[in-house]
Amino acid sequence: MTEKLLVVDDEKLVRWSLRQKCVEWGYRTLEASTGGEALRTAKSENFDLILLDVRLPDMSGLDVFKQVRDIDEDSPAVIMITAVPQLEEVKAAIRMGAYDFIGKPIDFDELRNTVKNALETTHLRSEVQSLRGELRSRGGFREIVAVASRTQELMGLVRKVAASET
């Protein structure tokens, strides 16, 4: 299944170049030029990742980010984009759960790796949550019998991961 991305930036050329690169990398990509348009699109579509400019004409990218989180608790990964990074904005976005910040002018090699890693992280988190739910519904993993010492070590690691919050 091809991941779907939303590119949110008020600069038409930036949106176009981001979309072109994302399509070239194999992602389905939609665009929005304002925060309001991004929110309407996020309500009607499911995205795996949002590339979100910090400064938009109608609201801040951080406000859009917060509202996207309010729409869906399993909201997509968000990579913030900005020409002038402000430490307070970066800290606020990271506290809200942004995956990363990318500066303008955009280094497309860096962006490609960041997008790939963000999507992989999101998929792994979903898989862990799914497996935790499955384990809980089955009464845990106590039913698994481990005789070999390597398997017992693995089960110890599984217990640690299952007990962690993230």
Side-chain angles (χ1 to χ4, degrees):
M1 182 171 108
T2 303
E3 290 98 343
K4 192 182 335 180
L5 281 54
L6 176 61
V7 174
V8 185
D9 198 297
D10 59 325
E11 295 177 56
K12 187 175 184 175
L13 184 58
V14 171
R15 267 194 332 273
W16 179 84
S17 60
L18 285 169
R19 181 181 181 142
Q20 291 301 110
K21 283 295 184 181
C22 290
V23 168
E24 180 182 312
W25 299 331
Y27 303 116
R28 290 183 295 148
T29 308
L30 297 176
E31 315 176 12
S33 61
T34 66
E37 185 181 353
L39 292 171
R40 284 188 300 277
T41 305
K43 286 178 184 175
S44 65
E45 302 271 345
N46 291 321
F47 293 97
D48 298 293
L49 184 133
I50 299 175
L51 297 172
L52 179 58
D53 192 9
V54 171
R55 301 217 187 328
L56 297 167
D58 57 342
M59 65 178 71
S60 80
L62 294 174
D63 289 337
V64 174
F65 186 14
K66 181 183 181 322
Q67 290 183 44
V68 165
R69 291 278 186 232
D70 292 343
I71 291 169
D72 180 8
E73 62 186 38
D74 294 326
S75 57
V78 173
I79 298 172
M80 303 297 294
I81 301 171
T82 186
V84 185
Q86 300 291 322
L87 182 58
E88 289 306 311
E89 290 173 332
V90 171
K91 287 170 36 179
I94 297 300
R95 277 193 300 269
M96 289 171 38
Y99 183 80
D100 204 349
F101 252 82
I102 298 287
K104 292 180 183 176
I106 296 168
D107 175 335
F108 286 105
D109 290 331
E110 176 188 5
L111 179 64
R112 183 178 191 175
N113 288 329
T114 303
V115 167
K116 181 178 171 270
N117 291 339
L119 290 169
E120 190 173 286
T121 299
T122 301
H123 293 311
L124 288 172
R125 281 190 180 136
S126 295
E127 191 173 328
V128 166
Q129 286 177 342
S130 174
L131 291 172
R132 280 185 181 151
E134 191 176 316
L135 279 173
R136 286 186 187 111
S137 70
R138 293 183 179 184
F141 50 83
R142 290 169 191 80
E143 302 168 15
I144 299 174
V145 177
V147 178
S149 63
R150 299 279 293 161
T151 306
Q152 290 174 351
E153 288 175 34
L154 177 61
M155 291 308 299
L157 180 61
V158 168
R159 284 184 188 91
K160 286 179 187 176
V161 170
S164 72
E165 286 298 317
T166 338

